[in-house]
Amino acid sequence: MQRRGVFHARRTDAVLLLVAIVWGSSYLAAKTATHALPVLVVLFARYAISGIACLALVALRQEERCTRDEIRIGSLLGVTQAAVLVLETYGVAHTSAANAGLIISLTIVLTPLLDRTAGNGRLPPHFFAATGVCLLAVTLLMAGSGFHAPRTGDLLMLAAAGVRAVHVALVGRLTQGRAVRPLQLTAVQTVLGSVLFAVPASSGLPRLSEVDAAVWGQLFYLALLCSVFAFLAQTWAVQNTSASRASLLLGTEPVWAVAAGIGLGGEKVTVLAALGATLMVTGTYWGQSIERTHRTARKEEFPCPATTPTSV
């Protein structure tokens, strides 16, 4: 029995680590895809493939139609998620995949500043010290081979981190206490995203017939693995482990982004960029640890009533 429990825990950890690897590699896949196709076409294809896959899963499970809450919340989150992906995809097209993955991880320390759904109260001062370390890291990453005017791609990724933090905070605020199903919520977001990008991308859609199998492979990778699989796998894994352990494993995403950029993309890392990468990983882990400890202490001091669990 104990051996079975250990195996189950290791399997759950492996799934979470795989999600982090997939998300970390998504920046290189998106950068490569945008070399062959316009950004808006890449986004439309990613959303359309994800939407079809989600609707197929809903149909296969023979579940009830989306509720009003799922449609309403999914529509709002679909708009914010689309904004994140626009900034991310344009950003990664104008910076390195390693930089993109590192700068977007700033979301980890920005989100607690916006999220007040659990009544966590004022964050301790040393959390802001961790945030300062991350901001210094962003400065060094933007400097690259030397201090100069910030690159467009880095600024877009910085904006994406801010909007993603708003999106994550909204997810917590809008779904708290409501019986919304993650798969249905994702289906609404992906279908809405397909609609939002259909017209802006329409002039470039004929380009899809001109690209080779490698580009289509990247589009399916972004849609099926980085979106549908990663979301559902994350939901399953988090239900089978502690939130702290899950956040620790998922927090390795920027490490895998750097590994993919250097190992597969052939990107170069300067001394300043390496220092920035080290500070970013250190700052995000430090800030994550402080926030988690603070949240746990607040829950013990002011226990909240149980909320309705969601199911895939």
Side-chain angles (χ1 to χ4, degrees):
M1 183 67 69
Q2 185 177 1
R3 183 176 298 177
R4 182 180 300 176
V6 172
F7 171 76
H8 181 73
R10 287 179 177 175
R11 182 180 61 175
T12 304
D13 286 352
V15 170
L16 284 168
L17 197 58
L18 182 58
V19 170
I21 293 171
V22 166
W23 278 343
S25 64
S26 68
Y27 303 101
L28 180 60
K31 185 174 182 66
T32 307
T34 54
H35 280 165
L37 292 167
V39 168
L40 292 174
V41 174
V42 171
L43 288 169
F44 171 76
R46 177 175 182 173
Y47 265 111
I49 297 169
S50 299
I52 293 170
C54 285
L55 291 175
L57 287 173
V58 171
L60 285 172
R61 291 172 65 102
Q62 298 181 338
E63 294 187 352
E64 296 179 1
R65 294 180 180 179
C66 294
T67 64
R68 288 185 178 180
D69 267 352
E70 288 166 347
I71 294 174
R72 181 176 59 84
I73 295 171
S75 297
L76 179 56
L77 295 179
V79 173
T80 55
Q81 182 63 52
V84 173
L85 283 181
V86 166
L87 291 168
E88 279 187 6
T89 311
Y90 272 111
V92 77
H94 296 90
T95 189
S96 67
N99 266 22
L102 287 163
I103 293 174
I104 199 66
S105 66
L106 191 62
T107 303
I108 293 172
V109 293
L110 290 178
T111 303
L113 299 175
L114 301 172
D115 186 17
R116 289 292 178 267
T117 56
N120 292 332
R122 187 181 297 276
L123 291 162
H126 48 303
F127 177 85
F128 297 94
T131 305
V133 170
C134 292
L135 293 176
L136 175 59
V138 170
T139 302
L140 293 174
L141 289 168
M142 288 182 175
S145 56
F147 289 99
H148 50 72
R151 288 173 292 187
T152 302
D154 293 331
L155 291 175
L156 286 171
M157 292 308 302
L158 192 58
V163 178
R164 188 195 267 193
V166 172
H167 174 77
V168 174
L170 277 176
V171 171
R173 184 170 302 176
L174 295 175
T175 61
Q176 187 179 35
R178 292 185 173 91
V180 293
R181 296 161 293 180
L183 178 56
Q184 277 72 7
L185 208 60
T186 305
V188 173
Q189 291 180 69
T190 52
V191 170
L192 177 63
S194 303
V195 173
L196 289 175
F197 288 112
V199 174
S202 58
S203 61
L205 291 181
R207 296 275 299 275
L208 287 170
S209 62
E210 302 171 4
V211 297
D212 57 22
V215 176
W216 275 105
Q218 288 154 0
L219 293 175
F220 273 94
Y221 181 80
L222 288 169
L224 299 182
L225 287 179
C226 300
S227 296
V228 180
F229 162 77
F231 181 83
L232 296 178
Q234 178 196 23
T235 303
W236 172 84
V238 168
Q239 291 173 341
N240 289 276
T241 189
S242 68
S244 297
R245 192 170 184 84
S247 62
L248 181 65
L249 290 166
L250 292 173
T252 62
E253 177 188 341
V255 177
W256 300 111
V258 173
I262 297 174
L264 300 176
E267 296 177 352
K268 304 289 185 180
V269 177
T270 64
V271 174
L272 281 177
L275 179 58
T278 303
L279 288 176
M280 179 61 81
V281 173
T282 302
T284 52
Y285 268 81
W286 185 23
Q288 188 180 62
S289 174
I290 294 169
E291 190 274 337
R292 185 169 58 245
T293 302
H294 174 71
R295 175 166 26 90
T296 302
R298 291 286 297 182
K299 283 183 177 179
E300 290 176 354
E301 187 177 357
F302 304 104
C304 298
T307 57
T308 305
T310 57
S311 59
V312 179

